Amino acid sequence: MFVAGFPAGAWGTNCYLVAPAAGEECVIVDPGHEAARGVEDLIREHRLKPVAVLLTHGHIDHVASVVPVCGAQGVPAWIHPADRYMMADPEKALGRSLGQQLMGSITVGEPDDVRELTDGSVLDLAGLQLTVDHAPGHTEGSVTFRTPASQDIPPVFFSGDLLFAGSIGRTDLPGGDSAAIMRSLARVCLPLDDATVVLSGHGSQTTIGRERATNPYLQQAAGASGAPAFPRRGM
């Protein structure tokens, strides 16, 4: 599997282009603030053909470029219905005081073709199989995307702002829920194999095994759920 990514815009939000290999169809994950140019550069450099934009949640730092990217490539955007309103009304998602500070220079709205994600569904796009897990807590409509395990390639987990290297997403904005994010960590992250590569919405790449061993929030979620907090061997 081919993954290329870059931190976009003022918030350094990771945008990923995912394909079976260079030169093939791809999906674009979380084109955030000022991401359109970086997306175009990677498409040209690696000869990629986008077929869809996938959004882990609706915060403006993850969706700010969804309209120009979808428009330029002629592709749909996929988002959970609980976060869909944020594309057109990001101020409501951030709270008025913060929203007014951030919205001045950003044009918002929905792309022409919006499709809604459901928990447990499997997206067959660009020659990839991506399982969708609803993971509320950071926002009500947060989701993650994961690839299946194989003998040759470790699974990849696009965690959005659910799980970071050493931390988790904030829960103090409208729609955030600290208890819900702990339940999502237990239900979505803990069952994954330690070899799973975690590509999050911000910061560096990590693995489930590393986070299981060192991330205090994931360890807390394991303790609350009764799941093991220690590293597991791969299957």
Side-chain angles (χ1 to χ4, degrees):
M1 189 174 71
F2 173 87
V3 181
F6 61 96
W11 298 281
T13 303
N14 291 325
C15 176
Y16 301 103
L17 280 70
V18 190
E24 299 191 18
E25 291 184 338
C26 74
V27 297
I28 302 165
V29 180
D30 287 353
H33 183 232
E34 297 181 347
R37 178 63 180 272
V39 167
E40 291 175 1
D41 289 346
L42 288 179
I43 289 171
R44 183 169 54 253
E45 178 182 356
H46 300 290
R47 309 177 316 282
L48 298 169
K49 306 172 188 66
V51 299
V53 167
L54 307 182
L55 302 171
T56 62
H57 62 289
H59 280 160
I60 191 66
D61 59 322
H62 290 251
V63 307
S65 295
V66 67
V67 170
V69 168
C70 286
Q73 304 301 326
V75 299
W78 292 77
I79 191 168
H80 192 277
D83 275 14
R84 181 170 177 171
Y85 74 94
M86 296 185 189
M87 289 191 288
D89 192 4
E91 186 175 300
K92 186 176 181 180
L94 297 173
R96 182 163 298 276
S97 60
L98 182 58
Q100 287 178 336
Q101 296 174 39
L102 301 179
M103 292 306 106
S105 61
I106 298 175
T107 301
V108 298
E110 286 194 358
D112 292 336
D113 187 354
V114 179
R115 305 181 188 184
E116 296 186 344
L117 299 165
T118 58
D119 183 46
S121 62
V122 178
L123 302 177
D124 287 299
L125 296 168
L128 304 165
Q129 281 194 333
L130 296 164
T131 298
V132 179
D133 289 301
H134 185 209
H138 179 62
T139 66
E140 292 175 320
S142 288
V143 300
T144 63
F145 305 101
R146 54 185 167 90
T147 65
S150 72
Q151 291 184 339
D152 302 322
I153 304 173
V156 177
F157 179 58
F158 297 93
S159 64
D161 285 5
L162 171 63
L163 179 69
F164 303 134
S167 190
I168 61 173
R170 63 191 293 179
T171 58
D172 60 331
L173 295 174
D177 185 322
S178 57
I181 203 169
M182 297 305 291
R183 291 192 296 270
S184 292
L185 290 169
R187 182 178 69 86
V188 175
C189 298
L190 288 177
L192 300 177
D193 188 84
D194 280 352
T196 302
V197 176
V198 180
L199 299 179
S200 62
H202 301 271
S204 61
Q205 174 179 313
T206 185
T207 66
I208 287 294
R210 185 178 302 138
E211 297 313 300
R212 199 190 310 276
T214 63
N215 189 315
Y217 300 97
L218 200 58
Q219 292 175 338
Q220 181 182 342
S225 68
F230 51 84
R232 299 181 301 168
R233 294 185 181 273
M235 295 179 64

